[in-house]
Amino acid sequence: MKGVAVLDRATAETYAGWFRALADPTRVQILNLLAAAGTPMTVGEIVDHVDVGQSTVSAHLKILTEARFVLAEPRGTARLYRVNQRCVSCFPTAADVVMGRAAVTFAEVCP
């Protein structure tokens, strides 16, 4: 179809990474916990709230950090994790873009 805009590859790859990061229920729980807490948390604090061990939580946090949903801040020997509000605020728009309901470039969605 002529005149139909398609997502550019870089934007599609970014969105696919976001969707993959949220494709696991434990990662969704961790992101929800961090958002609800409203304050940075250590891995140990997160483990206290989810039904998996520390190494599993750490692996999930790595994926969420790579997708930029979560930011990690070194604090002494620990790391504090918090929600990346900028990325999370872009996510609902990403779903709209994929479904053809909004802007078609990443820059339009999250300048």
Side-chain angles (χ1 to χ4, degrees):
M1 295 173 68
K2 288 186 178 184
V4 175
V6 67
L7 285 174
D8 63 272
R9 187 65 179 189
T11 300
E13 288 174 359
T14 296
Y15 292 168
W18 288 358
F19 294 130
R20 273 191 308 275
L22 294 178
D24 182 278
T26 301
R27 288 194 290 271
V28 171
Q29 286 181 309
I30 291 169
L31 190 58
N32 175 258
L33 172 64
L34 291 171
T39 183
M41 299 176 74
T42 64
V43 171
E45 291 170 327
I46 295 167
V47 168
D48 289 342
H49 290 87
V50 295
D51 195 26
V52 293
Q54 190 232 340
S55 62
T56 302
V57 167
S58 292
H60 286 306
L61 284 167
K62 182 177 188 244
I63 292 166
L64 290 169
T65 301
E66 289 171 352
R68 297 186 315 260
F69 280 119
V70 171
L71 300 173
E73 304 168 24
R75 192 70 50 93
T77 58
R79 294 179 74 109
L80 293 177
Y81 294 91
R82 66 181 173 89
V83 170
N84 178 355
Q85 292 298 328
R86 184 161 187 245
C87 184
V88 173
S89 68
C90 296
F91 185 73
T93 305
D96 285 337
V97 170
V98 170
M99 298 308 293
R101 295 188 206 136
V104 294
T105 68
F106 187 75
E108 290 174 283
V109 176
C110 292

XYZ file of all heavy atoms in Angstrom:
831
model
N 0.842 -1.183 0.000
C 0.000 0.000 0.000
C 0.883 1.241 0.000
O 1.757 1.385 0.847
C -0.884 0.020 1.243
C -1.889 -1.105 1.294
S -2.793 -1.166 2.864
C -3.758 0.303 2.784
N 0.620 2.107 -0.930
C 1.389 3.343 -1.002
C 0.969 4.288 0.116
O -0.192 4.333 0.510
C 1.171 4.015 -2.351
C 1.845 3.280 -3.477
C 1.728 4.051 -4.755
C 2.455 3.307 -5.849
N 2.470 4.031 -7.086
N 1.952 5.033 0.611
C 1.683 6.040 1.624
C 1.552 5.498 3.043
O 1.291 6.242 3.963
N 1.710 4.195 3.218
C 1.628 3.616 4.551
C 3.017 3.678 5.175
O 3.988 3.171 4.623
C 1.129 2.154 4.513
C 1.178 1.536 5.890
C -0.273 2.097 3.940
N 3.112 4.318 6.335
C 4.393 4.430 7.018
C 4.671 3.164 7.811
O 3.768 2.565 8.385
C 4.372 5.631 7.954
N 5.917 2.759 7.798
C 6.329 1.591 8.569
C 7.416 2.037 9.545
O 8.181 2.961 9.246
C 6.824 0.453 7.637
C 8.101 0.826 6.922
C 6.986 -0.837 8.405
N 7.449 1.401 10.683
C 8.477 1.723 11.670
C 9.860 1.523 11.073
O 10.094 0.551 10.352
C 8.363 0.800 12.880
C 7.244 1.045 13.859
C 7.219 -0.070 14.909
C 7.382 2.384 14.524
N 10.776 2.417 11.401
C 12.152 2.191 10.981
C 12.728 1.052 11.819
O 12.226 0.722 12.888
C 12.987 3.475 11.132
C 13.076 3.922 12.574
O 12.185 4.672 13.020
O 14.033 3.504 13.251
N 13.746 0.408 11.320
C 14.299 -0.798 11.947
C 14.802 -0.535 13.366
O 14.581 -1.340 14.273
C 15.420 -1.359 11.073
C 15.949 -2.692 11.515
C 14.863 -3.715 11.379
N 15.364 -5.019 11.783
C 14.702 -6.123 11.619
N 13.520 -6.109 11.050
N 15.194 -7.251 12.006
N 15.478 0.581 13.577
C 16.026 0.883 14.911
C 14.910 1.013 15.945
O 15.016 0.498 17.062
C 16.868 2.154 14.860
N 13.834 1.687 15.575
C 12.697 1.829 16.491
C 12.059 0.475 16.756
O 11.751 0.130 17.899
C 11.655 2.806 15.920
O 12.284 4.091 15.727
C 10.468 2.966 16.855
N 11.882 -0.322 15.716
C 11.295 -1.656 15.878
C 12.158 -2.512 16.805
O 11.634 -3.235 17.657
C 11.121 -2.328 14.525
N 13.477 -2.421 16.668
C 14.366 -3.189 17.546
C 14.278 -2.712 18.986
O 14.269 -3.517 19.918
C 15.800 -3.112 17.029
C 16.005 -3.922 15.766
C 17.380 -3.753 15.139
O 18.209 -2.984 15.680
O 17.622 -4.393 14.101
N 14.189 -1.400 19.198
C 14.032 -0.863 20.550
C 12.750 -1.379 21.179
O 12.746 -1.882 22.308
C 14.021 0.683 20.531
O 15.294 1.142 20.064
C 13.751 1.247 21.920
N 11.654 -1.275 20.470
C 10.363 -1.728 21.005
C 10.352 -3.237 21.246
O 9.824 -3.710 22.251
C 9.225 -1.333 20.080
C 8.979 0.152 20.011
C 8.159 0.679 19.029
C 9.562 1.045 20.898
C 7.916 2.049 18.949
C 9.331 2.404 20.820
C 8.507 2.902 19.843
O 8.267 4.246 19.757
N 10.941 -3.997 20.337
C 11.000 -5.449 20.521
C 11.776 -5.787 21.789
O 11.383 -6.689 22.547
C 11.634 -6.114 19.305
N 12.845 -5.071 22.049
C 13.609 -5.275 23.280
C 12.776 -4.964 24.514
O 12.841 -5.688 25.515
N 11.981 -3.907 24.436
C 11.106 -3.567 25.570
C 10.084 -4.667 25.807
O 9.855 -5.089 26.936
C 10.393 -2.255 25.299
C 11.257 -1.035 25.379
C 12.587 -0.969 25.693
C 10.850 0.301 25.131
N 13.027 0.323 25.644
C 11.982 1.131 25.301
C 9.650 0.874 24.759
C 11.929 2.507 25.145
C 9.596 2.262 24.594
C 10.724 3.065 24.787
N 9.466 -5.137 24.743
C 8.450 -6.182 24.886
C 9.074 -7.480 25.405
O 8.487 -8.157 26.246
C 7.707 -6.417 23.570
C 6.868 -5.236 23.136
C 6.979 -4.734 21.846
C 5.976 -4.626 24.000
C 6.207 -3.646 21.435
C 5.204 -3.542 23.600
C 5.312 -3.049 22.318
N 10.284 -7.815 24.927
C 10.972 -9.014 25.430
C 11.271 -8.872 26.921
O 11.141 -9.835 27.677
C 12.282 -9.258 24.674
C 12.137 -10.067 23.422
C 13.488 -10.508 22.854
N 14.445 -9.424 22.675
C 14.513 -8.643 21.603
N 13.654 -8.807 20.603
N 15.410 -7.694 21.516
N 11.689 -7.686 27.334
C 12.025 -7.470 28.748
C 10.810 -7.683 29.640
O 10.947 -8.112 30.785
C 12.590 -6.063 28.946
N 9.633 -7.426 29.140
C 8.417 -7.578 29.938
C 7.698 -8.898 29.664
O 6.579 -9.099 30.135
C 7.474 -6.401 29.683
C 8.008 -5.057 30.172
C 7.030 -3.945 29.833
C 8.307 -5.082 31.652
N 8.342 -9.800 28.951
C 7.708 -11.065 28.598
C 7.808 -12.112 29.701
O 7.392 -13.239 29.513
C 8.316 -11.614 27.305
N 8.343 -11.748 30.842
C 8.481 -12.677 31.967
C 7.712 -12.125 33.167
O 7.884 -10.957 33.521
C 9.962 -12.830 32.317
C 10.171 -13.803 33.445
O 10.021 -13.391 34.620
O 10.466 -14.975 33.165
N 6.872 -12.938 33.801
C 6.058 -12.438 34.915
C 6.878 -11.937 36.098
O 6.468 -10.982 36.772
C 5.180 -13.624 35.310
C 5.712 -14.803 34.606
C 6.580 -14.322 33.484
N 8.046 -12.525 36.344
C 8.872 -12.051 37.459
C 9.402 -10.657 37.168
O 9.432 -9.797 38.054
C 10.030 -13.032 37.746
O 9.479 -14.314 38.054
C 10.866 -12.556 38.921
N 9.790 -10.401 35.928
C 10.266 -9.053 35.589
C 9.139 -8.039 35.702
O 9.352 -6.910 36.160
C 10.888 -9.047 34.185
C 12.233 -9.754 34.160
C 13.022 -9.485 32.900
N 12.478 -10.094 31.707
C 12.776 -11.318 31.280
N 13.612 -12.085 31.965
N 12.251 -11.786 30.169
N 7.939 -8.433 35.321
C 6.787 -7.537 35.474
C 6.567 -7.250 36.961
O 6.335 -6.103 37.356
C 5.524 -8.127 34.813
C 4.290 -7.305 35.152
C 5.709 -8.224 33.304
N 6.680 -8.273 37.806
C 6.518 -8.078 39.253
C 7.587 -7.142 39.805
O 7.280 -6.262 40.615
C 6.603 -9.413 39.995
C 5.394 -10.280 39.833
C 5.559 -11.570 40.614
O 6.567 -12.269 40.490
N 4.556 -11.884 41.425
N 8.828 -7.341 39.381
C 9.923 -6.491 39.866
C 9.707 -5.051 39.442
O 9.850 -4.121 40.252
C 11.288 -7.024 39.371
C 11.613 -8.355 40.050
C 12.391 -5.994 39.612
C 12.794 -9.098 39.439
N 9.344 -4.833 38.201
C 9.110 -3.470 37.720
C 7.941 -2.840 38.473
O 8.012 -1.684 38.895
C 8.848 -3.472 36.213
C 8.812 -2.113 35.540
C 10.110 -1.348 35.752
C 8.538 -2.274 34.062
N 6.884 -3.610 38.700
C 5.738 -3.115 39.457
C 6.139 -2.770 40.881
O 5.737 -1.720 41.417
C 4.623 -4.161 39.444
C 3.465 -3.752 40.306
O 3.321 -4.261 41.423
N 2.640 -2.845 39.823
N 6.943 -3.611 41.517
C 7.415 -3.359 42.879
C 8.221 -2.069 42.951
O 7.992 -1.225 43.823
C 8.263 -4.539 43.368
C 8.982 -4.356 44.701
C 7.985 -4.188 45.841
C 9.927 -5.522 44.947
N 9.159 -1.899 42.025
C 9.979 -0.691 42.017
C 9.138 0.557 41.777
O 9.358 1.594 42.401
C 11.093 -0.805 40.973
C 12.186 -1.821 41.285
C 13.105 -2.004 40.083
C 12.973 -1.414 42.517
N 8.167 0.448 40.892
C 7.294 1.592 40.611
C 6.439 1.918 41.838
O 6.279 3.081 42.200
C 6.411 1.303 39.406
N 5.893 0.895 42.489
C 5.035 1.111 43.657
C 5.833 1.631 44.842
O 5.336 2.473 45.611
C 4.325 -0.192 44.033
N 7.066 1.158 45.001
C 7.899 1.598 46.123
C 8.238 3.077 46.000
O 8.296 3.796 46.997
C 9.172 0.759 46.197
N 8.480 3.516 44.781
C 8.794 4.926 44.562
C 10.148 5.347 45.092
O 10.465 6.525 45.103
N 10.932 4.403 45.537
C 12.264 4.693 46.070
C 13.204 3.576 45.631
O 12.773 2.432 45.453
C 12.212 4.806 47.611
O 13.498 5.163 48.104
C 11.765 3.529 48.260
N 14.475 3.876 45.432
C 15.409 2.829 45.012
C 15.471 1.687 46.034
O 15.332 1.898 47.236
C 16.756 3.553 44.931
C 16.395 4.990 44.716
C 15.123 5.195 45.488
N 15.680 0.471 45.516
C 15.740 -0.720 46.354
C 16.966 -1.550 46.015
O 17.413 -1.564 44.868
C 14.483 -1.584 46.142
C 13.179 -0.905 46.499
S 11.734 -1.933 46.120
C 11.850 -3.134 47.452
N 17.474 -2.264 47.008
C 18.575 -3.202 46.779
C 18.004 -4.530 46.283
O 16.801 -4.778 46.404
C 19.362 -3.472 48.071
O 18.497 -4.128 49.007
C 19.921 -2.184 48.669
N 18.881 -5.380 45.779
C 18.461 -6.711 45.339
C 17.818 -7.453 46.509
O 16.779 -8.094 46.354
C 19.650 -7.512 44.757
C 19.265 -8.961 44.503
C 20.155 -6.872 43.482
N 18.435 -7.369 47.683
C 17.902 -8.052 48.860
C 16.496 -7.608 49.199
O 15.639 -8.427 49.557
N 16.232 -6.314 49.092
C 14.885 -5.802 49.372
C 13.889 -6.321 48.338
O 12.750 -6.654 48.682
C 14.893 -4.272 49.387
C 15.648 -3.690 50.565
C 15.871 -2.189 50.467
O 16.044 -1.671 49.331
O 15.888 -1.530 51.521
N 14.320 -6.412 47.102
C 13.438 -6.926 46.050
C 13.159 -8.407 46.285
O 12.016 -8.851 46.178
C 14.058 -6.671 44.658
C 14.151 -5.163 44.397
C 13.244 -7.365 43.566
C 15.003 -4.772 43.210
N 14.193 -9.175 46.643
C 14.037 -10.608 46.913
C 12.995 -10.845 48.003
O 12.212 -11.794 47.931
C 15.396 -11.245 47.299
C 15.218 -12.649 47.869
C 16.329 -11.273 46.089
N 12.954 -9.963 48.985
C 11.986 -10.098 50.078
C 10.535 -10.022 49.598
O 9.639 -10.448 50.306
C 12.213 -9.016 51.142
C 13.490 -9.233 51.939
O 14.024 -10.371 51.921
O 13.956 -8.263 52.567
N 10.320 -9.474 48.400
C 8.952 -9.266 47.900
C 8.533 -10.186 46.758
O 7.360 -10.213 46.396
C 8.783 -7.813 47.450
C 8.790 -6.851 48.581
N 9.958 -6.307 49.086
C 7.787 -6.350 49.326
C 9.659 -5.499 50.083
N 8.354 -5.514 50.255
N 9.487 -10.886 46.155
C 9.144 -11.778 45.048
C 9.535 -13.201 45.423
O 10.344 -13.425 46.298
C 9.810 -11.349 43.715
C 9.292 -9.996 43.254
C 11.322 -11.310 43.842
N 8.960 -14.157 44.764
C 9.121 -15.559 45.132
C 10.240 -16.247 44.358
O 10.060 -17.350 43.845
C 7.786 -16.290 44.913
C 7.755 -17.639 45.599
O 8.485 -17.825 46.594
O 7.004 -18.514 45.122
N 11.388 -15.569 44.235
C 12.557 -16.157 43.578
C 13.808 -15.742 44.346
O 13.781 -14.790 45.135
C 12.664 -15.733 42.087
C 11.538 -16.302 41.260
C 12.725 -14.237 41.942
N 14.897 -16.432 44.085
C 16.139 -16.173 44.796
C 16.902 -14.966 44.281
O 16.575 -14.374 43.246
N 17.966 -14.661 45.018
C 18.748 -13.471 44.715
C 19.405 -13.509 43.338
O 19.387 -12.521 42.611
C 19.823 -13.267 45.791
C 20.505 -11.926 45.673
C 22.008 -12.031 45.643
O 22.584 -13.026 46.057
N 22.646 -11.003 45.141
N 19.966 -14.646 42.959
C 20.626 -14.710 41.647
C 19.617 -14.543 40.510
O 19.924 -13.919 39.491
C 21.406 -16.015 41.489
O 20.543 -17.126 41.546
N 18.412 -15.060 40.700
C 17.365 -14.912 39.685
C 16.918 -13.461 39.593
O 16.763 -12.914 38.492
C 16.174 -15.832 39.997
O 16.654 -17.173 40.048
C 15.092 -15.716 38.937
N 16.727 -12.814 40.742
C 16.353 -11.391 40.742
C 17.444 -10.572 40.067
O 17.155 -9.695 39.250
C 16.075 -10.889 42.178
C 15.991 -9.364 42.224
C 14.789 -11.502 42.714
N 18.696 -10.863 40.378
C 19.809 -10.129 39.755
C 19.796 -10.291 38.234
O 20.011 -9.325 37.499
C 21.145 -10.604 40.319
O 21.267 -10.235 41.670
N 19.529 -11.506 37.762
C 19.468 -11.748 36.314
C 18.322 -10.960 35.683
O 18.477 -10.366 34.603
C 19.312 -13.239 36.038
N 17.179 -10.939 36.342
C 16.040 -10.180 35.819
C 16.328 -8.676 35.837
O 15.971 -7.960 34.893
C 14.779 -10.482 36.617
C 14.193 -11.826 36.336
N 13.876 -12.261 35.060
C 13.853 -12.847 37.166
C 13.364 -13.480 35.116
N 13.350 -13.861 36.384
N 16.969 -8.196 36.885
C 17.321 -6.771 36.954
C 18.298 -6.394 35.843
O 18.208 -5.295 35.289
C 17.915 -6.426 38.320
C 16.902 -6.318 39.448
C 17.606 -6.296 40.800
C 16.015 -5.085 39.279
N 19.178 -7.295 35.494
C 20.106 -7.025 34.392
C 19.336 -6.812 33.096
O 19.614 -5.872 32.334
C 21.091 -8.189 34.246
C 22.113 -7.980 33.154
C 23.106 -9.125 33.103
C 24.213 -8.778 32.128
N 24.286 -9.649 30.991
N 18.356 -7.653 32.845
C 17.546 -7.527 31.628
C 16.744 -6.229 31.646
O 16.691 -5.499 30.650
C 16.630 -8.756 31.466
C 17.484 -9.992 31.165
C 15.582 -8.537 30.377
C 16.752 -11.307 31.300
N 16.135 -5.922 32.777
C 15.357 -4.680 32.890
C 16.247 -3.449 32.762
O 15.829 -2.426 32.199
C 14.591 -4.651 34.212
C 13.435 -5.634 34.327
C 12.933 -5.715 35.768
C 12.305 -5.250 33.377
N 17.478 -3.547 33.249
C 18.427 -2.432 33.131
C 18.877 -2.268 31.684
O 18.957 -1.147 31.180
C 19.631 -2.667 34.067
O 19.153 -2.774 35.407
C 20.627 -1.524 33.989
N 19.159 -3.383 31.012
C 19.561 -3.313 29.603
C 18.459 -2.722 28.735
O 18.737 -2.028 27.757
C 19.963 -4.702 29.098
C 21.273 -5.183 29.669
C 21.589 -6.636 29.362
O 20.713 -7.347 28.819
O 22.719 -7.056 29.666
N 17.204 -2.992 29.080
C 16.068 -2.431 28.336
C 15.779 -0.992 28.747
O 14.929 -0.337 28.155
C 14.828 -3.294 28.547
N 16.473 -0.519 29.758
C 16.361 0.849 30.287
C 15.061 1.104 31.062
O 14.709 2.246 31.315
C 16.558 1.879 29.174
C 17.927 1.826 28.542
C 18.163 2.932 27.544
N 17.082 3.164 26.617
C 17.018 2.731 25.360
N 17.981 2.019 24.873
N 15.991 3.020 24.599
N 14.347 0.060 31.438
C 13.185 0.236 32.312
C 13.634 0.554 33.730
O 12.917 1.203 34.482
C 12.309 -1.014 32.349
C 11.393 -1.157 31.174
C 11.497 -2.250 30.332
C 10.427 -0.206 30.905
C 10.647 -2.388 29.245
C 9.575 -0.336 29.821
C 9.690 -1.425 28.989
N 14.816 0.060 34.099
C 15.341 0.209 35.450
C 16.730 0.825 35.366
O 17.515 0.504 34.474
C 15.393 -1.176 36.154
C 16.141 -1.097 37.468
C 13.988 -1.716 36.364
N 17.018 1.704 36.320
C 18.346 2.297 36.436
C 19.017 1.743 37.682
O 18.355 1.555 38.710
C 18.246 3.818 36.539
C 17.582 4.531 35.356
C 17.396 6.008 35.672
C 18.397 4.337 34.091
N 20.316 1.486 37.602
C 21.092 0.979 38.738
C 22.068 2.056 39.183
O 22.766 2.652 38.367
C 21.842 -0.281 38.341
N 22.075 2.314 40.491
C 22.972 3.316 41.053
C 23.898 2.646 42.059
O 23.419 2.060 43.026
C 22.167 4.386 41.793
C 21.115 5.072 40.981
C 20.173 5.907 41.843
O 20.558 6.315 42.951
O 19.049 6.131 41.385
N 25.202 2.709 41.835
C 26.125 2.145 42.829
C 26.008 2.924 44.145
O 25.943 4.156 44.144
C 27.501 2.346 42.210
C 27.279 2.761 40.801
C 25.892 3.277 40.701
N 25.957 2.207 45.240
C 25.889 2.840 46.562
C 26.755 2.001 47.488
O 26.312 0.959 47.974
C 24.447 2.874 47.026
C 24.126 3.711 48.214
C 24.195 5.237 48.042
N 23.513 5.840 46.925
C 22.280 6.317 46.928
N 21.557 6.233 47.999
N 21.783 6.883 45.853
N 28.000 2.407 47.685
C 28.934 1.607 48.470
C 29.194 0.282 47.765
O 29.546 0.249 46.602
N 28.953 -0.828 48.478
C 29.155 -2.148 47.880
C 27.870 -2.682 47.244
O 27.863 -3.753 46.658
C 29.643 -3.160 48.939
O 28.672 -3.223 49.979
C 30.991 -2.747 49.498
N 26.798 -1.945 47.379
C 25.505 -2.383 46.841
C 25.141 -1.569 45.607
O 25.813 -0.596 45.260
C 24.418 -2.230 47.899
N 24.076 -1.983 44.974
C 23.485 -1.222 43.871
C 22.027 -0.992 44.232
O 21.352 -1.894 44.714
C 23.579 -2.000 42.565
C 25.007 -2.187 42.093
C 25.046 -2.974 40.814
N 24.617 -2.153 39.711
C 25.395 -1.677 38.739
N 26.616 -1.993 38.704
N 24.946 -0.930 37.792
N 21.575 0.199 43.986
C 20.168 0.521 44.203
C 19.490 0.597 42.846
O 20.006 1.211 41.906
C 20.028 1.849 44.937
C 20.541 1.871 46.378
C 20.410 3.273 46.959
C 19.795 0.871 47.229
N 18.316 -0.018 42.761
C 17.568 -0.071 41.507
C 16.312 0.766 41.627
O 15.635 0.763 42.652
C 17.202 -1.528 41.182
C 18.431 -2.351 40.900
C 19.089 -3.032 41.928
C 18.945 -2.436 39.619
C 20.229 -3.780 41.667
C 20.089 -3.179 39.354
C 20.727 -3.844 40.383
O 21.855 -4.580 40.126
N 16.029 1.508 40.549
C 14.820 2.325 40.510
C 14.271 2.341 39.097
O 14.980 2.052 38.126
C 15.086 3.739 41.000
C 16.017 4.540 40.120
C 16.259 5.949 40.679
N 17.280 6.644 39.930
C 17.053 7.386 38.859
N 15.825 7.526 38.396
N 18.036 7.997 38.235
N 13.008 2.691 39.002
C 12.349 2.775 37.702
C 12.905 3.968 36.934
O 13.094 5.055 37.491
C 10.823 2.918 37.891
C 10.137 3.261 36.581
C 10.246 1.642 38.475
N 13.152 3.776 35.660
C 13.537 4.860 34.759
C 12.239 5.473 34.240
O 11.636 4.960 33.300
C 14.389 4.316 33.613
C 14.786 5.387 32.626
O 14.361 6.539 32.714
N 15.591 4.998 31.660
N 11.804 6.545 34.851
C 10.516 7.149 34.520
C 10.417 7.550 33.056
O 9.354 7.438 32.448
C 10.244 8.361 35.420
C 10.011 7.994 36.858
C 8.799 7.102 37.054
O 7.812 7.174 36.336
N 8.884 6.218 38.031
N 11.501 7.994 32.477
C 11.458 8.420 31.066
C 11.119 7.245 30.156
O 10.271 7.346 29.278
C 12.787 9.034 30.658
C 12.743 9.560 29.234
C 13.848 10.553 28.983
N 13.633 11.133 27.663
C 14.464 10.963 26.658
N 15.563 10.272 26.799
N 14.208 11.515 25.487
N 11.766 6.124 30.387
C 11.500 4.950 29.553
C 10.093 4.427 29.785
O 9.373 4.122 28.836
C 12.523 3.856 29.858
S 12.364 2.407 28.810
N 9.691 4.346 31.029
C 8.365 3.821 31.342
C 7.274 4.724 30.778
O 6.259 4.238 30.282
C 8.198 3.620 32.864
C 6.781 3.246 33.229
C 9.161 2.539 33.349
N 7.502 6.025 30.783
C 6.483 6.915 30.232
C 6.343 6.752 28.724
O 5.293 7.026 28.154
C 6.787 8.373 30.590
O 7.948 8.816 29.916
N 7.385 6.263 28.060
C 7.335 6.043 26.614
C 6.680 4.723 26.249
O 6.206 4.554 25.134
C 8.745 6.059 26.024
S 9.588 7.632 26.167
N 6.650 3.772 27.162
C 6.206 2.426 26.825
C 4.772 2.351 26.305
O 4.535 1.711 25.285
C 6.408 1.459 27.990
C 6.074 0.052 27.618
C 6.920 -0.675 26.798
C 4.910 -0.531 28.042
C 6.609 -1.970 26.423
C 4.584 -1.829 27.680
C 5.443 -2.546 26.868
N 3.771 2.974 26.946
C 2.414 2.877 26.390
C 2.336 3.422 24.972
O 1.635 2.874 24.125
C 1.565 3.709 27.345
C 2.317 3.706 28.621
C 3.772 3.687 28.216
N 3.094 4.456 24.696
C 3.115 5.022 23.363
C 3.746 4.036 22.381
O 3.333 3.950 21.231
C 3.870 6.360 23.359
O 3.261 7.208 24.333
C 3.811 7.036 22.018
N 4.713 3.260 22.840
C 5.340 2.258 21.976
C 4.297 1.255 21.493
O 4.276 0.889 20.319
C 6.468 1.542 22.715
N 3.431 0.822 22.382
C 2.382 -0.119 21.984
C 1.459 0.518 20.948
O 1.066 -0.124 19.972
C 1.588 -0.573 23.202
N 1.125 1.784 21.136
C 0.294 2.486 20.160
C 0.990 2.579 18.803
O 0.369 2.363 17.761
C -0.044 3.899 20.646
C -1.099 3.917 21.732
O -1.889 2.951 21.831
O -1.137 4.898 22.492
N 2.277 2.884 18.824
C 3.027 3.015 17.580
C 3.040 1.686 16.831
O 2.792 1.634 15.624
C 4.467 3.504 17.849
C 5.320 3.403 16.594
C 4.450 4.938 18.357
N 3.317 0.611 17.551
C 3.362 -0.698 16.918
C 2.016 -1.040 16.281
O 1.944 -1.633 15.212
C 3.796 -1.788 17.930
C 3.613 -3.178 17.365
C 5.246 -1.566 18.336
N 0.941 -0.618 16.913
C -0.397 -0.909 16.399
C -0.870 0.133 15.385
O -2.022 0.115 14.946
C -1.399 -1.005 17.560
C -1.063 -2.134 18.526
S -0.818 -3.750 17.740
C -2.456 -4.097 17.157
N 0.026 1.062 15.003
C -0.293 2.025 13.962
C -1.178 3.180 14.411
O -1.840 3.812 13.598
N -1.188 3.467 15.697
C -2.069 4.513 16.220
C -1.374 5.820 16.566
O -2.008 6.693 17.125
C -2.759 4.005 17.490
C -3.669 2.862 17.244
C -4.447 2.561 18.503
N -4.814 1.161 18.471
C -4.721 0.330 19.476
N -4.284 0.758 20.629
N -5.072 -0.921 19.344
N -0.086 5.941 16.314
C 0.603 7.156 16.760
C 1.818 7.417 15.886
O 1.941 6.861 14.803
C 0.999 7.010 18.226
N 2.738 8.215 16.420
C 3.978 8.592 15.727
C 4.712 7.330 15.273
O 4.536 6.266 15.817
C 4.854 9.391 16.672
N 5.578 7.474 14.291
C 6.274 6.315 13.749
C 7.786 6.335 13.958
O 8.473 5.475 13.482
C 5.966 6.100 12.253
C 4.524 5.733 12.070
C 6.349 7.302 11.430
N 8.302 7.323 14.654
C 9.742 7.320 14.943
C 9.952 7.419 16.445
O 9.140 7.996 17.176
C 10.474 8.499 14.273
O 10.059 9.716 14.874
C 10.235 8.528 12.771
N 11.033 6.846 16.896
C 11.369 6.867 18.317
C 11.497 8.310 18.801
O 11.059 8.646 19.886
C 12.661 6.093 18.561
C 12.991 5.926 20.008
C 12.299 5.024 20.785
C 13.981 6.688 20.595
C 12.587 4.860 22.131
C 14.281 6.537 21.925
C 13.580 5.614 22.699
N 12.089 9.167 17.983
C 12.275 10.568 18.365
C 10.944 11.271 18.597
O 10.840 12.132 19.469
C 13.092 11.294 17.301
N 9.932 10.896 17.844
C 8.608 11.496 18.054
C 7.976 11.004 19.359
O 7.244 11.727 20.010
C 7.663 11.146 16.901
C 8.017 11.834 15.595
C 7.134 11.336 14.472
O 7.383 10.219 13.975
O 6.192 12.061 14.112
N 8.277 9.773 19.725
C 7.691 9.186 20.926
C 8.412 9.657 22.181
O 7.805 10.083 23.146
C 7.731 7.646 20.837
C 7.219 7.024 22.123
C 6.891 7.177 19.664
N 9.708 9.573 22.180
C 10.518 9.922 23.350
C 11.682 10.826 22.931
O 12.803 10.347 22.741
C 11.045 8.667 24.015
S 9.749 7.696 24.760
N 11.397 12.101 22.769
C 12.453 13.025 22.325
C 13.547 13.208 23.371
O 13.372 12.996 24.507
C 11.713 14.326 22.072
C 10.404 14.206 22.727
C 10.151 12.746 22.967
